[in-house]
Amino acid sequence: MELQTINPLIRFADVLRFEHPRSPSKTCDCRLFYVLDGTASILIDRQLCSVRSGSLILFQPNIEYAILPSGSVTLIVLDFDYTQRYAADTGYLGPFPAGEVDAANAHERLLFSDAELLNSPLHLSGVSSLEPGLRAIVAEFHQRRVFYREMASALLRKL
């Protein structure tokens, strides 16, 4: 798949605060975490990533992860698919305890031919320029105006 052909379906977008370690989880769809405030370690696919304000973590379905805050951490959280293939599943899909999700329940993992960094978990630091766009996606989900899902999809595609 080429990145230019994505048409994201966002199921969930919000700002969440984590104050306690979370047990290892898996998801059926993609996850994006952007750190607004605080610090944490995120164990993702058995690799420990240290994150702080302006960091972003992005990964595809059926990846095990755990959020391990240092005190507390505030994240923008997006749950989505890169395509509309699972558009019938517009509700919230997890996370689930790591042992409860298997490959048969997870949505497909895409292979990008022109953006290979997206084929495995991605950890970026110093990307605060993405924050306004991510906040706009969250605002669309909070306001729920006509075509909010389509607008949020377009915003994510732009990012």
Side-chain angles (χ1 to χ4, degrees), residues 111-122:
L111 288 177
F112 290 97
S113 60
D114 61 342
E116 294 173 4
L117 286 174
L118 299 177
N119 294 336
S120 57
L122 179 64

Side-chain angles (χ1 to χ4, degrees), residues 16-93:
L16 302 177
R17 184 170 199 79
F18 296 89
E19 297 180 343
H20 305 287
R22 303 289 295 254
S23 298
S25 303
K26 283 190 177 181
T27 65
C28 291
D29 54 4
C30 300
R31 288 294 188 269
L32 182 150
F33 301 135
Y34 175 81
V35 182
L36 291 171
D37 183 50
T39 60
S41 293
I42 297 181
L43 183 63
I44 185 164
D45 208 18
R46 301 177 206 257
Q47 293 185 353
L48 198 59
C49 300
S50 296
V51 296
R52 64 179 192 280
S53 181
S55 296
L56 181 133
I57 299 281
L58 173 66
F59 55 95
Q60 292 202 44
N62 204 27
I63 299 285
E64 186 172 318
Y65 73 96
I67 299 172
L68 310 166
S70 302
S72 69
V73 64
T74 305
L75 306 174
I76 291 177
V77 178
L78 301 184
D79 302 358
F80 69 98
D81 287 321
Y82 283 111
T83 70
Q84 298 286 318
R85 180 173 180 187
Y86 300 98
D89 297 330
T90 58
Y92 182 61
L93 297 177

Side-chain angles (χ1 to χ4, degrees), residues 95-147:
F96 301 99
E100 291 183 16
V101 175
D102 62 29
N105 295 330
H107 294 176
E108 69 182 322
R109 289 174 71 174
L110 301 178
L111 288 177
F112 290 97
S113 60
D114 61 342
E116 294 173 4
L117 286 174
L118 299 177
N119 294 336
S120 57
L122 179 64
H123 172 211
L124 300 173
S125 298
V127 291
S128 58
S129 61
L130 300 178
E131 186 175 327
L134 292 167
R135 285 187 180 275
I137 292 168
V138 171
E140 287 295 331
F141 266 74
H142 281 245
Q143 295 165 2
R144 296 196 181 260
R145 297 178 290 210
V146 175
F147 300 118

